[in-house]
Amino acid sequence: MQYQIFIQTQSNQRFIASVVGMSNLSAEGTTEAEALEKVKTALEATLATGKFVNLEMAESPPQMKWAGIFANDPTFDDFLDKLTQIRQEANALDEPV
C-alpha cells in the first residue's frame, strides 16, 4: 500500500514529513530522508495498532431530500428571472448616486 507524504522544509535545516489524510501523523528530521524514515516508522506503528474501515451511511443527509425538486418544474426559470429582477432593483437602490 502506498501513502502520500507531504514534506515541509523548516528553518535551520529541519524537515517535517506528514502523512496526507492523517493529520496527527508526522515526524521531523534534519534531512528529508531522516524525516521520511521517521514518519514511515510512525505510520507502521499506527497501522499495527489500528485498522481502516469503511463506514456506510444508511441515509443521505436530510438536505438531500430537497435536491432536484424543481428539475421538472416548467415555472422555475420564470421564478429565477423574477428573482434576478428583484435583486437588480434592490442593488440599484443601494448604489450611491
Side-chain angles (χ1 to χ4, degrees):
M1 186 174 261
Q2 292 184 347
Y3 292 88
Q4 287 186 316
I5 308 298
F6 180 70
I7 300 177
Q8 293 174 284
T9 304
Q10 301 292 307
S11 59
N12 302 333
Q13 292 290 29
R14 302 297 296 170
F15 296 88
I16 298 176
S18 304
V19 180
V20 175
M22 300 176 78
S23 59
N24 63 332
L25 197 51
S26 62
E28 195 172 316
T30 56
T31 65
E32 282 189 28
E34 180 184 6
L36 279 171
E37 188 58 38
K38 286 183 177 181
V39 81
K40 180 181 177 185
T41 300
L43 178 59
E44 288 171 343
T46 299
L47 293 175
T49 61
K51 63 182 178 179
F52 286 102
V53 296
N54 291 321
L55 181 61
E56 190 168 323
M57 302 300 289
E59 295 181 23
S60 298
Q63 305 88 324
M64 292 305 293
K65 71 180 179 181
W66 305 110
I69 63 171
F70 297 111
N72 297 317
D73 185 342
T75 65
F76 189 68
D77 288 336
D78 295 334
F79 166 75
L80 289 179
D81 291 341
K82 182 66 175 173
L83 184 59
T84 300
Q85 178 187 354
I86 292 169
R87 287 181 176 170
Q88 289 171 344
E89 291 170 1
N91 288 342
L93 293 175
D94 291 338
E95 291 179 0
V97 178

